[in-house]
Amino acid sequence: MSLVTSHSPHGQSSLRTVQVLGGGSVASSAHVRSLAAGLVARGVRVTVCAPAEAERAYDFTGVGAEHVHVPRSSDPASVAALRSVCADADLVHAHGLHASFRTALALGGRRTPLVVTWHNRAHAEGARAHLLRMLERRVVRAATLVLGTTSDLVDRARRSGARDARLGAVALPGRREAERDDPDRLPPKILAELGALGRPLLITVGSLDPCRGYDVLLDAARVWRGLEPVPLVVIAGEGPLRAELQHRIDQERLPVRLVGCRDDVGELLAAADVALLTSRWESRSVLAQEALHARVPLVATRVGGVPDLVGDAAELIPYGDSAALADTVVRLLDDPARRAELARRGVEQAATWPTEEETIAQVLSVYDELTQPRPLT
């Protein structure tokens, strides 16, 4: 009998799962919350092991899961805490490389099925890159199954020695439809605060770190200074490069605003004329998905899972090519018909992506497969 569908005498599912989350990107944290909600609604008992700040931000207990604070660390105390939580789990599901590594250490030689989801790919250079490759190999060889959110992540897991690696459906949870036809969608006060009244608004969202390609974006912004009116580039996010980027913006008098982490990113995006994704690598970019849902024309680098994600509903450019970025944006701003076409295609492409229901159904199917008793041979 399936453990997912069987029930205890108390009317609850006999399946107990532990979801392990590290620091957690926005995408992976939102996915774990969505997954927890869907599993709990179907009678599965869910414990989320994550830092306390992740619980405060995503409220896993609010959807019926139990939360256990486990720091984003692989020190012995954190591993021991995780080992204790996983002791009576039927299945453990870890999200991200570092959380998966801690989980592999905690499970040790136990036969508890371990599912690992790779939402993204860690970036590093030099000795740290070698360490990351070692962690990847350790994780995929310990995992019963690796789910990759893109086909290239699945291929990477297989090359690293995964016993079983498959494409994993991941929806964009909690999305709200943007109302781009509403003239009051963004208060004029906010537009005035940003300096965006009467000029094109270009938006990008993401942490201020080297893999985002913001140096290339600033190079392109030098070209846009010559347009009339001059577009405003808004970068929402925080990170280690803030001071360096701000210095360049000030020194070169670039039409760029660093606005930090905002709680109105959806509204800012809905008001944008063009969304920009300049990263070195992306899997299922949240920004790309939000832009297409919101009917905002997207210019993105042709990297990772982006081409498969957006299809022909975005303008794709090579990573690191500031001239291609600048020229593509100028062409879009001068071509309302092309922007309208991309908006239409974006909605059509978004309709092909997995829903939350489909994502939960796939995960339940995997859990069922991995927890069914094996026949004796």
Side-chain angles (χ1 to χ4, degrees):
M1 179 179 289
S2 162
L3 283 173
V4 170
T5 56
S6 63
H7 293 272
S8 71
H10 301 289
Q12 292 185 319
S13 167
S14 61
L15 184 71
R16 177 175 182 265
T17 71
V18 174
Q19 306 287 323
V20 185
L21 185 66
S25 65
V26 171
S28 59
S29 300
H31 172 65
V32 170
R33 187 184 195 277
S34 170
L35 190 57
L39 293 173
V40 168
R42 290 157 179 79
V44 177
R45 290 173 291 166
V46 178
T47 300
V48 177
C49 292
E53 56 268 26
E55 164 63 16
R56 288 193 293 271
Y58 292 93
D59 189 23
F60 305 114
T61 55
V63 298
E66 177 188 4
H67 170 255
V68 175
H69 169 64
V70 176
R72 190 179 188 270
S73 168
S74 296
D75 62 59
S78 296
V79 172
L82 191 54
R83 182 180 297 118
S84 176
V85 176
C86 295
D88 62 346
D90 296 301
L91 180 143
V92 180
H93 191 163
H95 301 262
L97 179 60
H98 294 286
S100 301
F101 178 66
R102 287 197 300 280
T103 306
L105 292 177
L107 290 177
R110 292 180 185 174
R111 300 184 66 181
T112 307
L114 170 60
V115 178
V116 166
T117 293
W118 279 3
H119 295 266
N120 217 321
R121 192 179 78 190
H123 293 278
E125 298 178 357
R128 180 166 168 75
H130 177 67
L131 174 61
L132 285 174
R133 286 193 295 271
M134 290 178 59
L135 290 180
E136 287 179 351
R137 288 195 292 270
R138 173 70 173 83
V139 164
V140 300
R141 291 170 183 172
T144 313
L145 170 65
V146 178
L147 295 174
T149 59
T150 64
S151 57
D152 58 335
L153 285 175
V154 174
D155 292 341
R156 187 179 181 91
R158 288 172 178 161
R159 290 194 302 270
S160 298
R163 287 175 282 173
D164 190 355
R166 310 175 196 174
L167 191 63
V170 176
L172 181 63
R175 184 187 57 79
R176 292 175 297 180
E177 292 287 350
E179 297 294 340
R180 285 182 57 79
D181 295 330
D182 180 0
D184 298 321
R185 64 184 180 272
L186 194 64
K189 180 180 178 181
I190 299 179
L191 288 173
E193 168 207 326
L194 294 172
L197 287 172
R199 60 196 296 197
L201 182 60
L202 314 179
I203 294 285
T204 189
V205 182
S207 56
L208 308 183
D209 58 52
C211 71
R212 296 292 182 178
Y214 290 145
D215 56 334
V216 178
L217 178 55
L218 296 192
D219 290 342
R222 286 204 298 260
V223 175
W224 301 330
R225 288 181 307 188
L227 301 180
E228 182 60 43
V230 179
L232 175 67
V233 181
V234 170
I235 303 176
E238 283 292 354
L241 292 185
R242 184 182 180 97
E244 179 182 326
L245 294 172
Q246 189 62 61
H247 179 73
R248 268 199 70 185
I249 292 167
D250 294 341
Q251 288 294 108
E252 301 176 33
R253 297 183 179 181
L254 299 176
V256 179
R257 289 283 309 273
L258 305 180
V259 299
C261 294
R262 306 270 300 212
D263 59 8
D264 60 350
V265 166
E267 288 80 3
L268 290 173
L269 181 61
D273 294 281
V274 178
L276 306 173
L277 183 65
T278 55
S279 304
R280 179 191 308 168
W281 195 91
E282 291 279 353
S283 55
R284 294 187 66 84
S285 163
V286 173
L287 173 61
Q289 293 178 77
E290 291 283 12
L292 268 59
H293 273 302
R295 303 174 179 85
V296 179
L298 173 69
V299 178
T301 44
R302 189 184 289 106
V303 297
V306 173
D308 287 342
L309 180 68
V310 303
D312 64 355
E315 296 280 3
L316 298 180
I317 59 172
Y319 168 73
D321 191 336
S322 62
L325 173 60
D327 292 346
T328 302
V329 169
V330 170
R331 178 164 45 83
L332 277 179
L333 292 179
D334 286 341
D335 190 349
R338 175 59 176 163
R339 296 202 306 274
E341 180 185 11
L342 287 176
R344 176 185 58 79
R345 289 184 179 181
V347 174
E348 293 173 352
Q349 180 69 13
T352 70
W353 298 335
T355 64
E356 287 188 80
E357 286 295 319
E358 290 166 342
T359 298
I360 293 162
Q362 184 198 30
V363 170
L364 279 171
S365 176
V366 165
Y367 289 1
D368 192 47
E369 172 190 341
L370 298 183
T371 55
Q372 293 221 31
R374 301 288 195 276
L376 296 176
T377 57

